[in-house]
Amino acid sequence: MRWSIEFLPFVSWPVIWALAAFGVVLFALLLWRARRGALLRALAYAMLLLAIANPHLKQEDRESLNDVLAVVVDDTQSQTIAGRDPRTEAIRKDLEERLKVFPNLDIRWIHSASTAGDGDRDGTMLFTDLAKGLADVPPDRLAGVIMLTDGNVHDVPGNAAALGFDAPVHALLTGKPGEFDRRLEVLRAPRFGLVGGEQPVEVRVTETTPGDAKSVNLTVTRQGEPPSTKTVRIGEKVDIPVKVDHAGPNIVEIEAEAAPGELTTVNNRAVLTVEGVRENMRVLLVSGEPHAGERTWRNMLKSDAAVDLVHFTILRPPEKQDGTPINQLSLIAFPTRELFQEKLDQFDLIIFDRYQRRGVLPLLYLENVAHYVERGGAVLVSAGDDYASPLSLYRTPLGQVLPAVPSGRVVEEPFKPALTDLGQKHPVTRDLAGAKGDQPSWGRWFRVVDVDPRDAEVLMKGAEGKPLLVLGERGQGRVALLLSDHIWLWARGYEGGGPYTDLLRRLAHWLMKEPDLEEEMLKATSRGQTLSLERRSIKDTIEPVTVTAPSGKEETVTLDKAEPGLWRKSMTAGEQGVYRISSGKLASVVTVGNANAKELSAVTATDAALSPLLNETGGGSFWLGRNQADTSPLPRIVMVRGGHVMHGADWLGLHKRDAYHVQGVRLFPLFTGFLALALLLGMMAITWFREGH
């Protein structure tokens, strides 16, 4: 219960103050002229003003409210290094025990973590989370704010007025003064590059405090290549060339050697991905003779704007003698020397469509094609009965790289192409439309060449279970053999047709080593806070996947089999940055949230960012870090009524607010009614009597 005086004036306060000013002037004039009863007149006038002000005695029934202390715990990625996370937990528990001795103090624990789901948040946002946590707390109840952090805060307000409250802010720093760390900065990294070219990555090695070393070794690991080492000077920019070997992601890992006594090696490494893009796919199509399927190949390749097609059809073989003079033939001479010797390596894919040895291409040029494959080229042979003849391509120097030996027999009977067990797993044929079920839903073919595969993979089979689609790897290149020339039936829609476009395009891209069509592939994608892992393999079992978070934490994940040749798993990503995924010899990277998160760019503890705001609010910073997870003693906590400086060398202060909630109010008038009238009239009568004598 609390008593006080409350005024409920009959007129506005400006009018009362104007009347009071007039009374003061009148009283001064009376004193100057030495009038009798001047003091009595002033008292009478004051009583009149008091009656107009209408004073009341107010009785309040109050309920005391507890003060509120906000404790913000920094749970971001930089707190997970150098033993800070167990140190933070020890400080939190000690602080919780000490605050129990204050009975009228409510503790509001606020945890701040920049997780992968916070794509718009870049860095440690303690004050943003503080504002959210205190949204329902009146400013006059806030006793103070204590932050458990390493000091790397990226949303510090420009001044104390921006906080929205008047209370001290203190920082309990989980690190140690003068921490040393070396880090690798990626200044410029290209996202795309043309296949076969190089893209420079600009990096720099920096240190928080100058060390003894003037130079440092960088280890550069490119996908599929042994590591290379380069020596660079600390603080200087350097370009690292990244060779774009293939379309799709080209991964390069750059790591600076660790320095003695540095805080962490997590930020010494950068994993980058350069997406390889083909400028144009150059394809050489050689048709041995006109036939119904020739247009199928030409239409498919010409419909793709990314394909530069060179197509020749041999219409007049050398043995054809019809007496027509050469100068009367409207035919373009086949530029064999230019195509198969001078510019052979410029083609990404060579297709032989029903081609057989007829003296048009010298055997030396076919031997060049075989060497082209072994050096990394791609050859596709679409064969008919020509492949089983004595003039087969297999009977040429090209046969040494072809994946199947012809028996000389051609099976001519209706059949539906079917996938083999391997074909159900292989990315070229795995999910072709119409392939599922006991019987494929596509149309029939009528011819298949009998062959014996050698060091090859059979993905499709035809009549009598004979191989229909055979793939092989030779040296650094790849070859494919389609053992029927009836794929044009699918293109014409015979008996419903079939997925000829998907099959031929996948086949061409597999030959050119497109990553999305590799038999063994590890892939990771992210959406929000969900990390999706995908492993493709033609094996029956696969190895577990190791997921390395940006902070260096590793987690082993066992994938679930989704369908033949495909395993998947989803997991929650708790950090922002670049995740590294590995399984055996396969590796991949994926970015979750911000790839260049501020969290791990600078990890040494500091009070520089918070000091201006702490000083303005009267708070202080206290270094609590020691070796490993040990902590220094916490400062004493003191409740004070007020003051500009709310901390000392070994203590921190909280503002004692004495906030309350009013439950009821009663008013008692003090100068109204007959009592006030009697006093006023009596004072006027005394004044009149004094002036009359």
Side-chain angles (χ1 to χ4, degrees):
M1 184 179 297
R2 184 182 177 88
W3 296 88
S4 61
I5 302 297
E6 185 83 12
F7 290 92
L8 303 175
F10 294 109
V11 296
S12 62
W13 279 108
V15 174
I16 295 176
W17 288 116
L19 293 175
F22 174 75
V24 171
V25 173
L26 184 60
F27 179 63
L29 184 60
L30 292 176
L31 291 179
W32 180 59
R33 293 195 173 187
R35 294 287 188 178
R36 290 182 178 181
L39 182 58
L40 293 175
R41 289 187 181 189
L43 290 175
Y45 193 81
M47 288 186 179
L48 178 62
L49 293 179
L50 184 62
I52 296 175
N54 191 21
H56 285 71
L57 182 64
K58 182 171 71 172
Q59 177 189 348
E60 288 183 346
D61 294 331
R62 296 182 176 181
E63 178 186 6
S64 297
L65 298 178
N66 291 347
D67 295 334
V68 177
L69 170 64
V71 182
V72 185
V73 182
D74 185 352
D75 290 333
T76 55
Q77 291 174 237
S78 61
Q79 283 280 80
T80 62
I81 64 174
R84 290 178 186 169
D85 41 354
R87 185 181 301 136
T88 300
E89 180 62 18
I91 294 173
R92 189 196 64 78
K93 290 182 178 179
D94 193 3
L95 187 62
E96 186 177 18
E97 290 298 322
R98 294 196 180 196
L99 292 175
K100 289 180 179 180
V101 302
F102 299 96
N104 299 321
L105 184 65
D106 293 338
I107 314 301
R108 183 70 61 93
W109 297 94
I110 302 172
H111 290 264
S112 177
S114 296
T115 61
D118 303 323
D120 296 333
R121 291 171 54 132
D122 185 13
T124 303
M125 304 296 181
L126 300 189
F127 288 92
T128 300
D129 292 331
L130 173 65
K132 293 178 181 178
L134 296 180
D136 59 339
V137 177
D140 59 353
R141 289 187 59 191
L142 187 62
V145 176
I146 298 177
M147 293 185 168
L148 276 67
T149 177
D150 56 11
N152 290 302
V153 184
H154 304 105
D155 65 340
V156 181
N159 52 62
L163 292 173
F165 57 81
D166 180 20
V169 179
H170 304 279
L172 303 181
L173 301 176
T174 57
K176 299 178 292 183
E179 290 177 334
F180 168 74
D181 187 52
R182 173 184 291 171
R183 65 190 178 103
L184 177 68
E185 296 181 14
V186 179
L187 304 178
R188 180 170 53 88
R191 295 181 58 190
F192 302 95
L194 294 177
V195 175
E198 286 187 351
Q199 290 291 327
V201 175
E202 188 177 54
V203 299
R204 177 174 60 192
V205 179
T206 61
E207 295 180 348
T208 53
T209 55
D212 297 333
K214 301 298 181 183
S215 60
V216 63
N217 290 329
L218 290 183
T219 301
V220 182
T221 306
R222 298 174 179 85
Q223 194 172 15
E225 297 183 9
S228 61
T229 303
K230 185 172 185 176
T231 302
V232 301
R233 293 183 63 84
I234 294 176
E236 291 186 0
K237 300 177 183 178
V238 61
D239 285 342
I240 304 294
V242 177
K243 187 176 180 181
V244 185
D245 293 320
H246 53 77
N250 293 261
I251 302 172
V252 59
E253 183 175 349
I254 308 172
E255 184 174 6
E257 64 176 324
E262 73 170 310
L263 194 63
T264 179
T265 59
V266 169
N267 52 6
N268 290 25
R269 184 181 68 250
V271 182
L272 307 171
T273 301
V274 180
E275 197 74 19
V277 179
R278 293 187 184 274
E279 186 175 14
N280 265 325
M281 184 172 68
R282 301 200 64 194
V283 178
L284 173 61
L285 173 60
V286 180
S287 298
E289 61 185 65
H291 70 105
E294 180 184 12
R295 186 173 295 275
T296 300
W297 284 105
R298 182 177 179 84
N299 289 345
M300 186 204 72
L301 294 170
K302 292 293 288 185
S303 65
D304 192 340
V307 173
D308 288 339
L309 176 64
V310 177
H311 182 198
F312 285 93
T313 302
I314 301 173
L315 300 175
R316 191 173 187 271
E319 71 271 10
K320 183 176 182 181
Q321 301 295 333
D322 56 6
T324 306
I326 295 296
N327 59 1
Q328 295 182 18
L329 292 175
S330 299
L331 298 176
I332 300 174
F334 194 7
T336 54
R337 185 176 186 278
E338 181 181 4
L339 293 177
F340 290 92
Q341 184 165 331
E342 297 177 359
K343 297 183 178 181
L344 184 63
D345 290 335
Q346 296 181 8
F347 290 100
D348 298 303
L349 174 63
I350 299 175
I351 302 176
F352 289 98
D353 176 32
R354 284 184 59 99
Y355 181 86
Q356 57 183 322
R357 179 165 52 90
R358 305 173 74 175
V360 176
L361 291 180
L363 296 182
L364 176 62
Y365 292 163
L366 293 176
E367 186 176 359
N368 290 344
V369 176
H371 295 326
Y372 158 81
V373 171
E374 292 173 346
R375 293 194 304 267
V379 168
L380 169 61
V381 177
S382 178
D385 53 3
D386 56 276
Y387 195 72
S389 71
L391 301 178
S392 169
L393 268 179
Y394 185 79
R395 312 299 177 186
T396 70
L398 185 60
Q400 60 183 322
V401 297
L402 293 179
V405 181
S407 66
R409 175 172 172 257
V410 178
V411 180
E412 295 192 0
E413 62 179 62
F415 68 91
K416 283 190 176 184
L419 302 184
T420 63
D421 292 340
L422 179 60
Q424 294 177 2
K425 303 175 184 178
H426 202 284
V428 171
T429 54
R430 183 175 55 83
D431 54 353
L432 283 176
K436 293 184 178 180
D438 296 335
Q439 276 291 331
S441 61
W442 47 55
R444 293 178 296 170
W445 294 1
F446 297 90
R447 179 187 297 151
V448 63
V449 180
D450 184 21
V451 296
D452 181 20
R454 59 171 191 175
D455 297 329
E457 299 172 340
V458 179
L459 305 188
M460 300 181 72
K461 57 186 178 181
E464 299 180 2
K466 301 298 183 181
L468 179 61
L469 177 60
V470 184
L471 309 183
E473 297 191 15
R474 299 293 184 265
Q476 298 179 6
R478 292 178 175 180
V479 289
L481 189 57
L482 183 60
L483 294 160
S484 176
D485 56 353
H486 283 182
I487 195 170
W488 63 272
L489 293 172
W490 281 1
R492 299 284 181 87
Y494 177 75
E495 294 185 345
Y500 73 99
T501 302
D502 287 344
L503 176 60
L504 297 182
R505 283 183 176 169
R506 290 185 192 178
L507 193 55
H509 286 104
W510 176 85
L511 287 166
M512 292 184 293
K513 302 180 181 180
E514 292 290 336
D516 287 341
L517 288 167
E518 291 294 323
E519 298 96 320
E520 302 294 328
M521 187 272 293
L522 178 63
K523 182 180 178 182
T525 57
S526 66
R527 185 172 182 179
Q529 217 169 335
T530 301
L531 191 63
S532 300
L533 309 178
E534 183 176 296
R535 174 77 162 88
R536 187 166 59 223
S537 177
I538 59 176
K539 301 176 183 177
D540 294 330
T541 59
I542 61 170
E543 300 172 337
V545 175
T546 301
V547 181
T548 306
S551 62
K553 290 184 177 179
E554 292 187 354
E555 182 178 355
T556 301
V557 180
T558 301
L559 306 189
D560 300 327
K561 191 168 186 177
E563 51 188 276
L566 194 63
W567 287 259
R568 291 192 179 103
K569 188 80 170 184
S570 295
M571 58 180 294
T572 300
E575 302 177 10
Q576 291 193 57
V578 179
Y579 280 74
R580 190 175 188 275
I581 319 297
S582 62
S583 177
K585 296 181 179 180
L586 299 177
S588 181
V589 295
V590 61
T591 300
V592 178
N594 191 340
N596 299 312
K598 294 179 181 178
E599 274 301 308
L600 298 178
S601 61
V603 296
T604 54
T606 177
D607 60 353
L610 291 171
S611 287
L613 184 69
L614 301 185
N615 294 334
E616 193 173 351
T617 62
S621 58
F622 304 87
W623 293 89
L624 302 182
R626 280 189 177 178
N627 295 331
Q628 302 302 325
D630 297 335
T631 62
S632 299
L634 283 178
R636 292 182 297 111
I637 301 174
V638 181
M639 300 294 295
V640 295
R641 295 288 178 182
H644 179 68
V645 178
M646 302 287 286
H647 74 283
D650 61 348
W651 66 276
L652 62 85
L654 303 178
H655 196 171
K656 181 65 175 175
R657 290 295 188 176
D658 294 327
Y660 59 88
H661 171 69
V662 178
Q663 293 181 319
V665 177
R666 289 188 293 175
L667 297 174
F668 302 96
L670 297 179
F671 204 70
T672 57
F674 292 108
L675 175 61
L677 181 61
L679 290 175
L680 186 58
L681 292 178
M683 184 58 67
M684 293 178 64
I686 294 173
T687 303
W688 176 79
F689 177 79
R690 177 68 182 85
E691 291 181 354
H693 292 77

